[in-house]
């Protein structure tokens, strides 16, 4: 005998995360940054073990198929694509189009749009940028920010092409790099969703007396603003 039942919705907000296959940090950070009353679903995006303009641009070919792996019955309140440099290379508008081709969602964001929103909200127009990657990867990000009224006035990088090493950069070294950054800026941005930054944002800000932002922190903030 078939048992009777009814279908109900949870009524909870729903966020999707498209996380790079090589990223070991973003999921754990989001567990800390997003409230427990929001449902979070994760899909993985095939990505290169090394980071270059070519490997970043190549993610455009697989992003839709990755978001299509989210549960098909869900309509998301927002989906976040978890790659700062990848967004700069592919472009926020194209990212949104590719994500929507694979999943139903009311909004799409990524760390670049999230950073721009955070800077505009705080009247920040000059930032110091800390990157883990080789120079060519950061050039596009700086161009996108400049087009949105945000100038990178100071820049430093660990020059690391291997993703498996990026996640293992000692947070103490990230803190030292940020504190030692010279120049005239309103805030510091720690770029890359795979960098372990959450525990050093506060100490850096306290030491330099200026706001400090990271890819994962601004992404979480923007997702929450979009679903509010």
């Amino acid at each position: 005998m078939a048992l009777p039942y009814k279908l109900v919705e949870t009524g909870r907000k729903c966020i999707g995360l498209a996380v790079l296959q090589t990223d070991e940090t973003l999921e754990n950070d989001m567990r800390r940054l997003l409230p427990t009353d929001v449902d979070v679903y994760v899909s993985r995006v095939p990505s290169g073990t090394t980071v270059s303009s070519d490997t970043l641009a190549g993610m455009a070919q697989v992003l839709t198929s990755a978001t299509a792996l989210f549960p098909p019955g869900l309509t998301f309140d927002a989906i976040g694509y978890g790659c700062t440099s990848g967004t700069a290379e592919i472009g926020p508008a194209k990212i949104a189009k590719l994500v929507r081709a694979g999943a139903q969602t009311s909004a799409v964001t990524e760390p670049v749009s999230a950073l721009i929103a955070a800077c505009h909200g705080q009247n920040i127009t000059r930032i110091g940028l800390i990157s883990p990657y080789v120079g060519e990867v950061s050039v596009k990000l700086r161009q996108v920010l400049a087009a949105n009224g945000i100038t990178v006035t100071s820049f430093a990088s660990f020059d690391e092409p291997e993703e498996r090493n990026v996640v293992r950069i000692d947070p103490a070294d990230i803190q030292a790099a940020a504190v030692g950054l010279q120049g005239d800026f309103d805030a510091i941005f720690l770029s890359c969703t795979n960098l372990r930054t959450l525990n050093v944002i506060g100490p850096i800000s306290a030491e330099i007396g200026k706001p400090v932002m990271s890819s994962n922190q601004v992404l979480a903030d923007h997702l929450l603003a979009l679903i509010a």
Side-chain angles (χ1 to χ4, degrees):
M1 181 183 71
L3 295 171
Y5 65 91
K6 61 181 179 180
L7 301 178
V8 297
E9 300 293 340
T10 66
R12 291 161 60 94
K13 296 289 187 178
C14 182
I15 284 175
L17 295 174
V19 181
L20 302 199
Q21 181 181 4
T22 51
D23 193 307
E24 300 177 39
T25 304
L26 180 58
E27 278 186 80
N28 288 328
D29 280 2
M30 286 299 179
R31 290 190 183 100
R32 296 173 58 181
L33 293 166
L34 296 177
T36 57
D37 63 350
V38 174
D39 290 336
V40 179
Y41 297 84
V42 176
S43 183
R44 288 280 174 165
V45 182
S47 56
T49 57
T50 60
V51 179
S52 68
S53 295
D54 288 341
T55 59
L56 292 169
M59 279 188 281
Q61 307 304 316
V62 294
L63 184 52
T64 295
S65 59
T67 55
L69 294 175
F70 284 123
L74 288 176
T75 298
F76 290 91
D77 294 290
I79 292 177
Y81 167 62
C83 186
T84 314
S85 299
T87 300
E89 193 67 39
I90 299 168
K94 187 172 182 179
I95 292 289
K97 182 178 179 180
L98 292 169
V99 168
R100 291 181 189 276
Q104 304 260 347
T105 182
S106 299
V108 178
T109 189
E110 14 63 29
V112 175
S113 294
L115 173 62
I116 292 168
C119 287
H120 288 174
Q122 300 176 69
N123 295 316
I124 291 170
T125 59
R126 301 165 302 165
I127 64 169
L129 176 64
I130 301 289
S131 168
Y133 297 127
V134 295
E136 66 166 298
V137 172
S138 300
V139 169
K140 193 68 175 180
L141 175 59
R142 296 171 73 166
Q143 292 172 344
V144 172
L145 293 175
N148 286 275
I150 303 162
T151 304
V152 176
T153 56
S154 298
F155 173 75
S157 175
F158 294 105
D159 243 4
E160 176 53 64
E162 299 289 334
E163 281 282 20
R164 65 176 178 269
N165 293 332
V166 168
V167 67
R168 290 168 177 80
I169 294 173
D170 191 335
D173 292 329
I174 300 171
Q175 181 173 344
V179 169
L181 193 64
Q182 301 296 310
D184 185 17
F185 46 79
D186 306 316
I188 286 179
F189 179 61
L190 308 175
S191 181
C192 181
T193 60
N194 210 11
L195 274 183
R196 293 179 293 155
T197 61
L198 286 194
N199 290 339
V200 296
I201 291 174
I204 296 169
S205 182
E207 192 160 351
I208 69 173
K210 296 178 180 180
V212 177
M213 300 171 286
S214 76
S215 291
N216 295 351
Q217 171 252 316
V218 296
L219 179 59
D221 285 351
H222 201 216
L223 284 167
L224 290 176
L226 289 171
I227 69 172

